[in-house]
Amino acid sequence: MNYGKKRCFLFLLFLTVTGKVLAQAIPVPKSHFGFSIGDDYQLATYQQLEKYFQLIDKLSDRVQTLEIGKTEEGRRQYIWVISSPENLKKLSRYKEISQKMARAEDLSCEEAKKLAMEGKPVVWIDGGLHANETVGTHQLIETFYQLVSRNDAKNKAILDGVIILLSQVNPDGQELMSTWYMQEQDPKKRNMHIPRLYQKYIGHDNNRDFFMMNMKESTHIARQQYIEWMPQIVYNHHQRGPEGSVLAGPPYRDPFNHVFDPLIITGIDGVAAAMNNRLNAENKPGYTRLSGSVFSTWWNGGLRTTPYFHNMIGILTEIIGNPTPEEVPVIPTRLIPNNATPNPVTPQTWHFRQSIDYSLSLNYAILNYAQRHGDELLYNIYLMGKNAIEKGSRDNWTLLPRYADSIAMAYKRDKGEKQLKGDTIPRHYYDAVLKNPAFRDARGYIIPADQSDFPTAVKFVNALIKSGVLIHKAKADFSVGSKRYPAGSYIVKTAQAFRAHVLDMFEPQDHPNDFQYPGGPLVKPYDAAGWTLAFQMGVRFDRITDAFDGPFERIAYGLLQDPPVKELASSKQGYLLDANVNDSFTAVNDLLKENIKVYRTQAVTEGMPAGSFYVETKESALLQKVVSKYGVMAKAVSTKPKDLLNIKPGRIALFDYYGGSIPSGWVRWILEQFHFDFQLVYPKDIDKGQLHRRFDVILFIGGGMPPLPTIKNSSRYLRMPSKEEVPVAYHHMLGSLSVDKSIPQLRTFLKEGGRIVTVGSATNLAYHFKLPVENALSVKNDNGESMTLSGDKFYIPSSILTVRVDTTQTPNFGMHAYADVVFNNSETFRIKNEGLSQIKPLMWFDTDKILKSGWAWGQAYLKGGIAAFYTTVGKGSFYAFGPEITNRGQAHGTFKLLFNGLYK
C-alpha cells in the first residue's frame, strides 16, 4: 500500500469509527427528499424529515438529537441541539448555567456576571405547530442543513457562541398535511383540505395550550423550555402575514401584560431591530410590525407568549407562502411606507422558496444577535428573575388600569369635574391607591388540602409545575394569621423567578378599555382578554399579602403530584362519592364499565351535595381500587340514602364535521380523560334519522349549526370540498346540517325521549326549535325590530364572568351557588312569556358587575340575562349553555355541567 492510499484508508477508518464527517460532506436536502426545500408544489413528510435529521446526526459533529417524548398519535418528538463540537462536549455545563441564570436563586450579581461570560445563550427555533402553515416546517429543514453544513466565518461564530435548539413541534400534523397534499398526482390540484384536525384533538388550539399543557406535545415542549433548557429567546414560526405584506413580526402592538418585566418588551425591541434590519439590508421588503398587525404581548398560553411570563424573549412571525404559488395582492394602504411598514412589498407572484429564504434570514438575524449579545441575554434573564424574587419578597403594587382609573376618578370627583383638564394630580391621590395595603400584590397563595375537589386542585398545581413554577407542600398542619391549614396543602410563593406566571394563573387579568381613539372603534384583543386558570378550574385558594412561612417542603422542579389516596372506612350501608369532585365521574364510569350498580342522590346527604354517587357495600373492593387511582374520597354512610336514582351509561354522540371542529375536539379529549364512551357523528348521520334508536344524548359544541334566516353571520362554516376532491373513505364526513332535513330529525329525536346538549354558538338550535327564548343582548329599533347591541355598547371578548347557579336543578348537580365561566361574546337569553314558559334557567347574571377577569365593555346589559337553561321537548330534553363550559380543556370548574347530562 503506497503512502497516499494509506492516508486515505486511515481517514476513512477514522470516519467509520467516529461516525461523524466534515461539514462539507453533509448531503443536500434534495438528495434525500427528491426536491429542494422550497420548490413549488413539494412538501416533505415528518417521516422523511425524521430520517434526514437522523442521517445528519450520524454524519455531523455539530448536532445532538434528543427525544423528548411521544406525540398524541405516538410519533417521536425531538429537539435537535446544534452548536460547535466543543460546545456540545460541555453541553451539560451550559445547560446548568442557563438554568441557574433563569431561576436566579441564591446567586449574586457578581456571580451572575461571571456565569454570563462563561455561558452560551440558548435560542429555541421551531416550526410546524400549525400544520397548514407549511413554511415553518420547511424552513426548519433548510435551517438545520445550513447550520450543520456551512463553514463560513459567520456560521462558525454562531456555532461557537450559541446553543441552538430546533424542534418540529407538531410531527403528527406534518405527516397528515404533507401526505394529503402530495397524494394528488397533478401538482396544480394539490390542496390542504384535510378531513380532520391537524393535531389529534385540538388542531389550531395546540397554540392555546401552553399554560395548561393538556396535550402531550405541549407538555414535552414546556418541560424543555421551563425546566430543562431555559432558552433566552424562543422563536415560533407561523403563517400568515396580513394581506399586502410578506410577514408580521416584532415589535408588537399594545397592550402588553402588566405583570411581566419591562426588560421583556425592550428585549423584544432589540431582537426585532436585528430581524427587520437584516431583511432591509438584503432587499427583502414587506415586514410589518406594531399597528401593522393584530399581534400583541397581552395574552398567556401560546408557544411564544407564555415565555414572556418566564422572562424569555418570545418572537412570533407570521409569513405568507405556500407550496402552491400565490399572489401578493394590491392593498393601497400597505403601499405607503410608515412606521408599521417601513419597506412595503409590491404586488407579485410569490413562490414557496421566497418564504424559506425570508425565514432563513430571520433565523440568522436572531442567531447573530444572540452570538453578539449572549452575555447580555444571559445576564438579563437573571436580572428579571432577581427582580421578580425581590418583588415577591416585599410589598409591591402592580400598576394596573383599574388603579389608574381609580386615581383619576377620585380626583375628578373631588374637583367636581367630569374630565381632567391637564391638572397636575397631587401625590396623595396616587398614595391613596398605590400605597394602599389592601391593593398589595400577593406574597403567595395557599391551596388548602381540605377543599372538596382537591384532585382538581392537584391538576392545577401540576399545570404550574409543568410551567417550571416552584411549589411547596405542607408537611404538617399550620396557621397563617387566624386561619388553620391541613398538612398536604400546597403553597405557591411569589418570591421566585417565574413570579409573573404565578400571578397570571391566580390573579384576574385587567385588560384596558382599548379603543382606536376616545369614542372611536374598539380594538379587539388577540385571542383572550382574561383566562385566570385558578378561576377556570374552580380551585379554592387564599391570597396572602404578608410574609409567611411554615413547615413547608420544597417540591423538586418538574416533579408532578398525585392526590392523596384515602382508604375506605368500614361501612355496612354503602359509600358516597362527592358530585362536586370531577374525578368522581371518572371513578363512576369505571364502575359502570364493570357492570357495578351506581345511583345518584336527589338531595343533600350526609354533607354531600345532591347528585352525589352511591355505591353499595358489596362493591367496596373494586370501589377502593378506582378511588385510589384518582384520589377520590368515598365516604362511608351511616344509613342508605333515600330516593336514589339508578344511572347507566348514556349512548353519547358527539357532533363533528369535515375538517374538524376544535371545540368538539376538545370535548372529545375531555370525554376520553373522564372515561365516557362516545361516538362521533357527522351531518349525514343526523340526516339518516332513527337517532333515538342509536343514541340517548347528542352533544353539539360550538359551530356547525345551520344559519338563522333572521340573524346575519349566525353560523360560520368551513368550505366543504366536493366528493371528487376527497377519497371515498372520507365521504361520510362531508355535508352540512340543514334547516329542511337535519332540524326535523333532531326535533324528532327530542320528542322520542332524546337529550340534546348545546354549548356556545350551538345554542342557536334553540331558535331553530322555536323555543320561547330570545337574545337578551338585543334592543328594539325605531321600527320595533330587534337588533343585536352594537360593539360600542356591548363587547366582552373571552373573559371570565361570575354567574348565579340554581343548585336545585339536576343539570347543576355538584355545582356551587356561584360559578366562574368563560364568556366570549356568548349567547345570552331571556324568556318569552315567562309565566307560561317551560324554560328552566340554570345559570344567570344577577348583578350588573359580573366581570371576574378580562375585559367587559357594557357588562351591565347582562344583568338578568340567562346564561344557561333547559327545557323539555316532547319526551326529551334540551340543554343550552351559552358560556364556554369546556373551554380549551381548562374550565374544570364547569365540566360537571356537561357530565351531568351524559347518563340515563
Side-chain angles (χ1 to χ4, degrees), residues 15-22 26 51-65 144:
L15 296 184
T16 303
V17 172
T18 62
K20 303 284 184 178
V21 301
L22 298 178
I26 300 299
K51 288 181 178 178
Y52 182 63
F53 283 24
Q54 287 171 343
L55 171 65
I56 303 306
D57 182 21
K58 292 176 182 178
L59 298 176
S60 173
D61 57 2
R62 297 177 178 181
V63 59
Q64 282 189 16
T65 301
F144 181 90

Side-chain angles (χ1 to χ4, degrees), residues 181-193:
Y181 182 84
M182 296 299 292
Q183 71 181 344
E184 175 59 59
Q185 295 302 308
D186 182 349
K188 294 188 177 182
K189 290 183 179 180
R190 288 175 182 164
N191 66 77
M192 297 185 185
H193 305 317

Side-chain angles (χ1 to χ4, degrees), residues 135-293:
V135 173
T137 302
H138 290 73
Q139 63 79 27
L140 199 71
I141 300 171
E142 187 68 19
T143 299
F144 181 90
Y145 169 70
Q146 296 286 342
L147 286 169
V148 298
S149 66
R150 281 172 46 180
N151 285 309
D152 57 275
K154 289 185 177 181
N155 198 63
K156 285 186 174 181
I158 287 171
L159 294 172
D160 288 339
V162 185
I163 307 297
I164 306 159
L165 308 179
L166 299 185
S167 183
Q168 208 303 2
V169 285
N170 181 11
D172 298 341
Q174 182 184 356
E175 190 67 23
L176 171 66
M177 186 63 70
S178 296
T179 301
W180 183 270
Y181 182 84
M182 296 299 292
Q183 71 181 344
E184 175 59 59
Q185 295 302 308
D186 182 349
K188 294 188 177 182
K189 290 183 179 180
R190 288 175 182 164
N191 66 77
M192 297 185 185
H193 305 317
I194 54 175
R196 62 177 179 86
L197 297 169
Y198 53 65
Q199 193 277 347
K200 182 177 180 180
Y201 297 102
I202 60 174
H204 190 274
D205 264 9
N206 63 356
N207 199 27
R208 305 296 184 269
D209 192 41
F210 283 96
F211 64 67
M212 188 70 194
M213 289 150 291
N214 282 316
M215 297 295 114
K216 292 176 181 177
E217 296 91 339
S218 48
T219 297
H220 303 328
I221 293 164
R223 183 170 186 88
Q224 300 308 309
Q225 291 183 345
Y226 310 132
I227 297 170
E228 298 289 342
W229 289 96
M230 317 297 207
Q232 288 76 54
I233 300 176
V234 173
Y235 184 10
N236 181 216
H237 282 263
H238 277 275
Q239 292 180 255
R240 61 173 285 121
E243 291 295 297
S245 73
V246 174
L247 75 146
Y252 309 103
R253 68 174 179 86
D254 284 333
F256 67 82
N257 201 290
H258 311 107
V259 299
F260 54 65
D261 197 288
L263 273 170
I264 286 294
I265 296 300
T266 53
I268 292 171
D269 289 345
V271 177
M275 297 167 69
N276 207 347
N277 282 343
R278 187 177 184 111
L279 290 187
N280 288 333
E282 294 177 354
N283 194 27
K284 290 175 177 157
Y287 188 114
T288 192
R289 58 187 186 160
L290 299 169
S291 61
S293 75

Side-chain angles (χ1 to χ4, degrees), residues 29-30 33-44 134-135 137-142 181 321-325 350-357 360:
K30 186 173 183 178
F33 295 100
F35 54 86
S36 296
I37 299 302
D39 281 356
D40 287 342
Y41 303 109
Q42 300 292 334
L43 289 180
T134 52
V135 173
T137 302
H138 290 73
Q139 63 79 27
L140 199 71
I141 300 171
E142 187 68 19
Y181 182 84
N322 194 290
T324 302
W350 193 263
H351 295 277
F352 199 31
R353 182 65 204 191
Q354 291 175 271
S355 295
I356 302 299
D357 289 340
L360 277 172

Side-chain angles (χ1 to χ4, degrees), residues 253 511-525 789-797 825 855-858:
R253 68 174 179 86
H511 194 286
N513 290 322
D514 195 6
F515 295 88
Q516 291 182 20
Y517 50 85
L522 54 84
V523 179
K524 296 180 180 181
L789 287 169
S790 59
D792 62 335
K793 291 185 172 63
F794 179 86
Y795 179 67
I796 304 182
N825 288 311
W855 183 21
W857 184 254

Side-chain angles (χ1 to χ4, degrees), residues 803-808 812 815-819 842-844 897:
V803 293
R804 184 75 169 85
V805 180
D806 183 353
T807 58
T808 67
N812 291 339
M815 296 294 292
H816 297 296
Y818 285 90
L842 297 174
M843 303 189 298
W844 62 92
L897 297 170

